[in-house]
Amino acid sequence: MVDRVLEWANVDALAAASRDGLDIADIGCGAGGSSRHMARRYGDARVTGITLSPVQQAAATTMSNEAGLGSRVRFKVADAMQTPFEDNSFDVVWSLESGEHMPDKDAFIKEMHRICKPGGRIIVVTWCTKDGELAPKEHKLLRKINKAYYLPEWVSVQRYIDIFQSINGIDDIKREDWTEEIAPFWPAVIRSALRPGRFFALLRAGPRTLRGAVAMIYMMRGFKKGTIKFGTCNPCRNATAPQNHPNVVLQTHYRSHPGNQEEGGIDQVARSVRGAFSCRWTVSPLAMNAIAILIKKK
C-alpha cells in the first residue's frame, strides 16, 4: 500500500527532480515500517519518523540499524501536533493511518503543513467516517470502537479537506475512497483469531484485551453500513506560495495509550508483528493493535 500511495501522490517525480535526495517526515511512524520502505525506495532520501511511544521509537531504531538504514533513518519521540522541527523542513510529510488518533485535527494538519517545504507533498491516508451527518446509531458504534482502541472523535475526509482549504497556497485537492480495497482485512483478522491456539490465548488475556478484540466486529459492522471509510486526500502546495504553504496528500498512527507500553503489552507485541511485515509492506498501525490483541500472550 505504501508504494500505491507514493505513486498516487506523485512522489517519484519529486524524487527525480531532487538534487540531493528527499527529506521525508513520517508522522506517527509506529515501529518504522513506512520509514524504512521509503528509505529503500528512494535510495538517497533521509527519513525522520516520530511517535508518542518510546517503545516504538526504540524498536524502530533497532530494526532500522539492523537493516543497515541507521545513517538515513532516525526516530524521535514527539507530539505530531507540536513537532520539534523548523518551518519548511521536509519535501514529503507522510502520515499513514495517524489522523484518526489525533485529538485536534486542525492542529495536526496545520503542523504537517508548517514543516513541509513549498513544492513538497503532504500525504494523509486515514480511517475516517462517511461525509455528511451521522445517525445516532452510527455515533454509538464509533464510541464503542473509540473506547476499545483509545481513539478520539472520528471525522470525514471532507473535514480534512476543509482544513486544507483554510490554508493559503493549497491547490488541486484530490481524494479517493479505498474502503473496498481495505474491507477484507478485518474478517481475515477475525478468522485468524478463531484458530484454537490464538482463541484460547485471547480468552486468557483479560477483559481489556477481549474488549479490543470485540471492537473488530464493530469495525466490520461500520464498513458494511458505510459509516467507516478508508480515505485518501491529496492537495498540492503551491511552490511559489508564502512560507508555510505545501503540495499535500491525505493519510494516519497508532496513538499509544499508557497501558500499551507495559511489559508484554500491546505495544511490544505490535512491535514484533510489525517487524515480521516491514520488509515487504507496511501494516496499518490500527491493524497492528488489532493483531497484537489477538496474539498477545497471558
Side-chain angles (χ1 to χ4, degrees), residues 136-171:
K137 288 184 177 180
E138 292 176 308
H139 283 294
K140 183 178 180 179
L141 177 66
L142 293 175
R143 284 196 296 269
K144 291 178 179 179
I145 296 171
N146 293 351
K147 184 176 181 180
Y149 293 142
Y150 306 104
L151 296 174
E153 183 178 1
W154 294 47
V155 300
S156 65
V157 168
Q158 186 58 51
R159 173 58 185 145
Y160 287 102
I161 292 175
D162 290 343
I163 299 171
F164 280 124
Q165 288 178 330
S166 72
I167 303 172
N168 291 332
I170 297 295
D171 300 320

Side-chain angles (χ1 to χ4, degrees), residues 102-142:
M102 303 299 168
D104 187 336
K105 303 299 191 286
D106 287 77
F108 168 58
I109 293 299
K110 290 176 181 178
E111 184 65 2
M112 294 179 73
H113 174 264
R114 182 186 70 79
I115 65 176
C116 187
K117 297 177 184 178
R121 302 287 192 274
I122 300 174
I123 301 175
V124 184
V125 179
T126 184
W127 298 92
C128 52
T129 66
K130 66 182 184 182
D131 292 341
E133 294 295 324
L134 300 181
K137 288 184 177 180
E138 292 176 308
H139 283 294
K140 183 178 180 179
L141 177 66
L142 293 175

